[in-house]
Amino acid sequence: MPRNKINILSIDGGGIRGIIPATVLVHIEKRIREKEGVHKRIADYVDLVAGTSTGAILGAMLLIPDANGRPKYTAEDALDFYVQYGEQIFNQSVKRRTMFAQLAFGAARYSEKRLESLLKEKVGDCMLSQLLKPCIITSYNMHNAKAVFFNSREQNAEKGDFLLREVLRSTSAAPTYFNPAMLGFHVAKGKPMVNLDGGVFANNPAMCAYAEARATVFPDWKDDKKDNKIFPTARNMLMLSLGTGGGYVDLGNTANAARWKLLSWASKTPDIMMDGALHTVNYQVQKLFDSLEGEEVKNYKRVDFPKPDNSDEPPYSTDMSDASPDNVAILQRSGALTVQHANMTSNTEHTLNTFVDEMITAFNTDSTQ
């Protein structure tokens, strides 16, 4: 019997704060192995993955195939990518430290060379289309001023295929952090792609994931109430959305905002854009799933670092490029706290463990009927 539910994993952008959702992913994969066997991976229990920036890197790593067609990397490997190499990507790649130097020589604070080298080492020549499951990765093409949704299951051949490492470089090209990504020329149309981080419009890609799922044919899915239904709706989806502990942009003394000069706005605007839509998208998606009935209202689970009581500051640095050893350690502890908070009992939503169990059940329908 075809499955009635499809499983969607969405992961926010957030630079080094990707350690938080990566820690959650490690917990999820551990849960899956405990229930289904040590050989199982997250990729075995998702139908669609969507990611922006650091979330895209994490999601794609879970879907890269090895020589036998199995996931090459575990969730632990994805976490290690940030824990082991974060300082090289950011702290050891500083190009220009002062605003004056950025104005004089270029806007990017960090060299993209180490990131590109690491992506080549970890991703190799894997093509976007080779990912084990459908994957949506956001970016923004400056050449034609349009949002780009790289789709690993692109049905229109004229849109072409891309090296995965180039797509991940595109989605992580955060303004003022890294230079735009140059993808050369579009495969078929000969148009250059000069891409920015997808976080400029979709730092939380959950709504993008929902929209994509609503237009995707899943061969082993069938609505249990409407035989002629072609595309899944919210009642047919289990969506797990992972945050990176955002929402704490340090804008300094905002009481003086009316007197900020151009340079002040230039330094603050990227962070405002990257963080501004996080809660908006979560609110929209939550309201969408709240419109369902009965237990189906629990089809959506948002997991993010819980905001501390009576505090406007999290324990970790609000700078998404702070990959110092101390901050990395704090982010790992914050990830563990996020898992703990997500597993607190609630009358209105599943705990994280229960939600993962639901995702497993959705994929085991055929074997239990």
Side-chain angles (χ1 to χ4, degrees), residues 41 43-44 46-47 60-66 68-73 126-135 152-153:
R41 301 286 187 271
D44 296 317
V46 293
D47 294 283
M61 284 190 71
L62 300 178
L63 303 178
I64 294 173
D66 64 14
N68 298 314
R70 291 292 296 153
K72 182 177 181 178
Y73 297 113
C126 178
M127 301 299 291
L128 180 65
S129 63
Q130 292 177 310
L131 292 179
L132 295 170
K133 294 293 178 69
C135 184
S152 67
R153 296 296 187 269

Side-chain angles (χ1 to χ4, degrees), residues 16 19 53 80 88 106 113 127-129 159 161 181 187 213 219 225 262 264 266 305 322 334 339 342 345:
I16 194 62
I19 287 174
S53 192
D80 286 345
Q88 296 179 36
K113 299 303 181 183
M127 301 299 291
L128 180 65
S129 63
K159 292 188 177 180
D161 198 1
V187 174
K225 296 180 180 179
L262 180 61
S264 293
F305 181 76
D322 184 353
S334 297
V339 170
T345 302

Side-chain angles (χ1 to χ4, degrees), residues 247-257 260 264-276 312-313 318:
Y248 299 96
V249 179
D250 184 5
L251 299 178
N253 185 3
T254 55
N256 296 324
W260 285 353
S264 293
W265 279 108
S267 65
K268 302 175 191 299
T269 297
D271 286 336
I272 293 173
M273 288 192 305
M274 304 292 268
D275 261 16
D312 293 328
E313 296 292 333
T318 57

Side-chain angles (χ1 to χ4, degrees), residues 247-315:
Y248 299 96
V249 179
D250 184 5
L251 299 178
N253 185 3
T254 55
N256 296 324
R259 293 189 293 275
W260 285 353
K261 304 301 182 182
L262 180 61
L263 292 183
S264 293
W265 279 108
S267 65
K268 302 175 191 299
T269 297
D271 286 336
I272 293 173
M273 288 192 305
M274 304 292 268
D275 261 16
L278 288 176
H279 299 302
T280 300
V281 171
N282 181 52
Y283 175 83
Q284 292 168 336
V285 178
Q286 185 66 67
K287 288 298 182 182
L288 191 157
F289 281 88
D290 283 347
S291 67
L292 301 176
E293 298 179 353
E295 284 295 298
E296 290 177 350
V297 299
K298 299 180 180 180
N299 283 4
Y300 173 66
K301 177 73 174 177
R302 174 68 172 175
V303 177
D304 203 355
F305 181 76
K307 189 169 184 177
D309 293 335
N310 302 317
S311 175
D312 293 328
E313 296 292 333

Side-chain angles (χ1 to χ4, degrees), residues 341-362:
H341 183 267
N343 270 321
M344 293 176 62
T345 302
S346 168
N347 292 327
T348 59
E349 62 179 355
H350 290 304
T351 65
L352 176 59
N353 284 349
T354 302
F355 198 90
V356 173
D357 293 348
E358 290 289 318
M359 295 175 72
I360 294 172
T361 299

